[in-house]
Structure formats: C-alpha cells, structure tokens
Amino acid sequence: ALVMPLLRFVMPLPPWVIVMLGTYTVQPLYLRNTKWLMKRVYQQCYSFPVCSEYTKSRYLQAIEETCGASLRKEVEAKSPLFRLGITTPQNHHVKKEDATKRILFAGGVKPRNGVLDLIKGISAYRKVSQIPFHVDVIGTLNEKSDYTKSIRNEIEEGGLAGMVTLHGHVDREVLEQSYANADVFIMLS
C-alpha cells in the first residue's frame, strides 16, 4: 500500500483498493516515517472494503487522530462493509446441553492469533475454578511447527489433555455446530 502513491509518478495507475482485514492497518499512521505516505494512500485509494464494523471504526478513528476529520469523512464514504463470505447459516444449530462449559477459538493456530496464550490462560483458570470446561481450537495448524509443539507441551504440562482439543480444519457443518455449542468465544489476535 505504501508504494502505490509513489508508483503514480512512474506509471499510470488504474483505480486500486485496499482490503482492510484487521486493526494493524492503522500502524503506518502512527509511525513517523510512514505517516505522510499512508495519508496519501488514504487520499488516493479508490475504495477500502472492510471486514468488520470494529476494524472500520478503529481505522477511521486513527485517520481522524492523525490526519483530521475531513480525511476520515472521505475514507468513510469509500469503506463498504463485507463479511469475508460468511453468511447466516441455513441450518439452525441448537446448543447441546452439557454441564461442561465450551470455550471456542476459531482461527489459524499461529503466534499472531495467541493460541499459546489462550492455553496458558486456561491452565491458570483451571487452578482457581471448579467449573468444568472444554476448549475447542478449530483452524489450520501445522503439527510440525515449533509453535504447535509448544501448545501441545503446554497442554500436557498443564494437565489439560482431556480439556483441550486441537481440531485442525473442520467442515462448515462442524464449525457451525461448534459455534452453537460454545458458551464463550475467544479471539486474542
């Protein structure tokens, strides 16, 4: 994104868009070396499709804080909301009654998403709570990665073997039922 305003001096550019997928999109606005260039990105880009209301509100707030209300208004008008292809499920999933509280994490198992932090937190919670729980971690994972090995080691050391399941990738039906069964959804990224 930061290169696009510079490219227009070298070649003609068609309209271009930046898909806003997370709150990290505001970081260049707060860095002295990139703020001026990111401001030009926001001025020149054709559209900023955004995946969530939270992300949209966060980057609009950052634009207003660093570049002013007029640019915020301009960018807001070019920020349609899209839902990453997620649609309302056609099947109505019903929560299975269970005394065990279900904790759900859905996302890739990688450091940026905080799964190891989740497992460490659950281990600490287990020491102070009598509430029965089970953690379902659903999302792509690489069994050979050091990160996944660290997670499995933390599960073993914390005595969580029967309380945490790393499912890996699951089909849509299983994912939707997991959401329906969850008492708590956790997203640390």
Side-chain angles (χ1 to χ4, degrees), residues 27-167:
Q27 288 176 332
L29 287 170
Y30 292 105
L31 301 174
R32 187 170 33 106
N33 296 336
T34 55
K35 176 184 170 184
W36 68 274
L37 199 49
M38 196 62 191
K39 181 177 180 180
R40 277 146 191 81
V41 168
Y42 283 115
Q43 291 168 332
Q44 296 173 16
C45 189
Y46 178 77
S47 181
F48 302 91
V50 61
C51 65
S52 74
E53 289 291 347
Y54 177 78
T55 298
K56 183 176 182 177
S57 68
R58 181 63 191 100
Y59 77 76
L60 291 173
Q61 175 189 0
I63 291 169
E64 187 167 349
E65 288 173 1
T66 60
C67 304
S70 64
L71 184 57
R72 175 200 166 114
K73 195 175 212 176
E74 182 182 329
V75 171
E76 188 170 12
K78 300 189 290 185
S79 297
L81 184 65
F82 73 97
R83 296 284 182 193
L84 298 174
I86 298 170
T87 58
T88 303
Q90 299 301 315
N91 301 331
H92 180 70
H93 295 274
V94 178
K95 180 174 175 29
K96 295 175 184 172
E97 288 306 316
D98 190 353
T100 302
K101 299 301 179 188
R102 303 300 291 205
I103 300 168
L104 175 63
F105 172 88
V109 177
K110 51 191 169 186
R112 191 179 83 204
N113 287 345
V115 178
L116 183 57
D117 296 319
L118 167 62
I119 301 305
K120 288 179 180 181
I122 290 299
S123 183
Y125 177 71
R126 179 176 178 250
K127 294 174 185 173
V128 299
S129 175
Q130 298 300 314
I131 299 172
F133 66 87
H134 188 89
V135 179
D136 293 295
V137 177
I138 295 177
T140 57
L141 72 138
N142 177 354
E143 287 292 348
K144 295 179 182 177
S145 77
D146 289 339
Y147 188 68
T148 301
K149 289 174 186 174
S150 296
I151 292 168
R152 293 216 182 267
N153 187 47
E154 188 69 31
I155 290 169
E156 185 179 320
E157 286 179 7
L160 301 170
M163 303 166 126
V164 177
T165 304
L166 301 178
H167 293 273

Side-chain angles (χ1 to χ4, degrees), residues 4 24 135 171 181:
M4 295 305 285
Y24 54 84
V135 179
D171 65 36
N181 290 341

